[in-house]
Amino acid sequence: MTQTHDSRLRVVCLAGPSDAGKTSLVEALVSRLAADGRVATVKSIHHDIEIDTPGTDTHRHRTAGAETVVGVTPALTFDITTRGKRDPPASDAPLLEADDPESQALASVLERLARRGYDTVLVEGFAGAPLPTILVGDREPSAVGGPVVGRGGEPIDDLVDTIRSLEGIEYAPGDESGA
């Protein structure tokens, strides 16, 4: 069943301690939810890493001062934006109310994904975000910012049905030129 794209983005966080199985659960959910429409994932990384190899042209563009660099290969397109959790971009109409910089950064990413036409976003991490959350491993409901809608030990079919039933976040569809 293919879902027609509308102005609602289903988003669910997967929260739990390291090595609890969040990534494996994301993999299983993505493969099932892709039958419904376009699926994107967002991964919270708690330490700085270098994702762009020093010396490459895209790295040189970024270190020269470009706020966003887009790379296009024969098989992939990627973008690197210098605004992360420490300095998230501002939004005129954020998709979620967020007081902390980490959730503001997530709101900015979700806004870009919504404008790009995604139907569902699985967020690994960002436990404090005010979004529906699936708890994985030993995580108490009080440790997350959104309502708990499932647990990682539930049957995958039940979790997929839960995600499919989420109301979604409303956004104003538009072009991707502002992202």
Side-chain angles (χ1 to χ4, degrees):
M1 151 176 115
T2 301
Q3 177 184 4
T4 59
H5 187 72
D6 61 19
S7 62
R8 299 194 76 76
L9 180 68
R10 295 179 301 194
V11 182
V12 65
C13 289
L14 287 86
S18 294
D19 297 324
K22 295 182 302 290
T23 301
S24 295
L25 183 55
V26 167
E27 290 174 315
L29 291 169
V30 166
S31 67
R32 298 286 299 281
L33 292 166
D36 295 343
R38 297 182 68 206
V39 178
T41 65
V42 177
K43 168 70 172 128
S44 176
I45 301 171
H46 298 288
H47 55 281
D48 285 329
I49 62 171
E50 182 56 59
I51 56 169
D52 194 16
T53 307
T56 61
D57 291 349
T58 54
H59 183 266
R60 291 172 61 190
H61 295 183
R62 183 170 53 88
T63 58
E67 184 174 316
T68 299
V69 175
V70 177
V72 181
T73 74
L76 300 171
T77 298
F78 64 92
D79 65 83
I80 301 166
T81 303
T82 60
R83 314 236 13 198
K85 293 178 187 178
R86 286 186 215 116
D87 184 27
S91 174
D92 293 333
L95 291 182
L96 58 107
E97 295 297 321
D99 296 331
D100 62 293
E102 185 170 288
S103 292
Q104 290 170 355
L106 176 58
S108 173
V109 170
L110 293 176
E111 184 178 324
R112 289 193 342 247
L113 292 172
R115 286 195 313 257
R116 291 178 181 174
Y118 287 92
D119 300 296
T120 305
V121 179
L122 302 177
V123 178
E124 185 177 336
F126 291 98
L131 292 166
T133 302
I134 296 172
L135 294 179
V136 182
D138 288 340
R139 182 65 50 107
E140 291 298 318
S142 60
V144 298
V148 174
V149 296
R151 294 202 173 256
E154 293 177 27
I156 192 73
D157 288 339
D158 292 352
L159 293 173
V160 168
D161 288 343
T162 296
I163 294 168
R164 286 177 175 154
S165 72
L166 292 175
E167 184 176 320
I169 300 170
E170 185 142 11
Y171 65 95
D175 64 51
E176 176 56 7
S177 62

